[in-house]
Each structure stands twice: as structure tokens, then as C-alpha cells.
Amino acid sequence: MARNALLEIRRSLEPHVGSRVMLRANGGRRKTIERTGVLEEIYPAVFIVKLDEEQHSFKRVSYSYADILTESVEVTVFGDNGQIRIQYVSN
């Protein structure tokens, strides 16, 4: 079941390659880190976001689909139809 969930999350991200996204990740010790950038690439186990250069000292970050499944990372896509949060909803 977990494998299907990860595949479903990956498929929900694929059409948004090249789109602007906001990442909200757990920074430890009750800190939440927010970053914005562009969803750059999708791989079988991870996805890569190219960060806005003026905001961050490093240019790219990668997260696994399991990070979205476990809600360690929230991904919000900015599109023509507004904001879309990528998440897994079990039936």
C-alpha cells in the first residue's frame, strides 16, 4: 500500500514540473522553514526544487515522496487555478 501511495504522490507532482512551489518543512526544535522555488525535476525516489536565489544560500533541495506522505514536508503549487497542496489522501 505504501508503494502505491508514493507512486500516487509522484504522479500528482509530475504535471507541475516547471511550476512555482512553496515548501514548508520541519526545521527541528519546533521551527518551520518556508521556501519558494520552481519544481525542477522528478525522479523515481525524490523530487528537486530550485530555490529562489535571493532568499537562500543554496540553490536546490531534494525531498522524497515519503516526506510528503509522512507530512514532514508540505508542497503547495502555484498555478493558473490558484494554489494546490500536494498530499496523499487514503480512501
Side-chain angles (χ1 to χ4, degrees):
M1 182 174 135
R3 179 167 286 202
N4 290 337
L6 297 177
L7 184 58
E8 191 174 313
I9 291 168
R10 178 180 173 199
R11 286 184 180 155
S12 66
L13 278 172
E14 283 176 344
H16 301 292
V17 171
S19 299
R20 292 205 43 80
V21 296
M22 180 180 70
L23 301 169
R24 186 173 289 138
N26 181 357
R29 293 209 165 196
R30 296 184 219 166
K31 284 192 266 182
T32 301
I33 299 170
E34 286 188 6
R35 299 174 173 149
T36 57
V38 175
L39 181 59
E40 190 173 53
E41 295 182 67
I42 300 283
Y43 291 104
V46 297
F47 60 97
I48 296 176
V49 175
K50 183 177 180 184
L51 299 174
D52 295 338
E53 290 184 30
E54 67 275 359
Q55 292 182 355
H56 310 289
S57 58
F58 41 93
K59 296 181 181 182
R60 289 179 176 82
V61 292
S62 64
Y63 292 100
S64 71
Y65 305 112
D67 291 331
I68 294 175
L69 181 63
T70 60
E71 298 181 351
S72 297
V73 174
E74 290 179 17
V75 178
T76 304
V77 179
F78 300 106
D80 297 335
N81 301 331
Q83 298 179 6
I84 302 166
R85 181 169 174 216
I86 304 295
Q87 59 187 2
Y88 176 72
V89 179
S90 61
N91 294 334

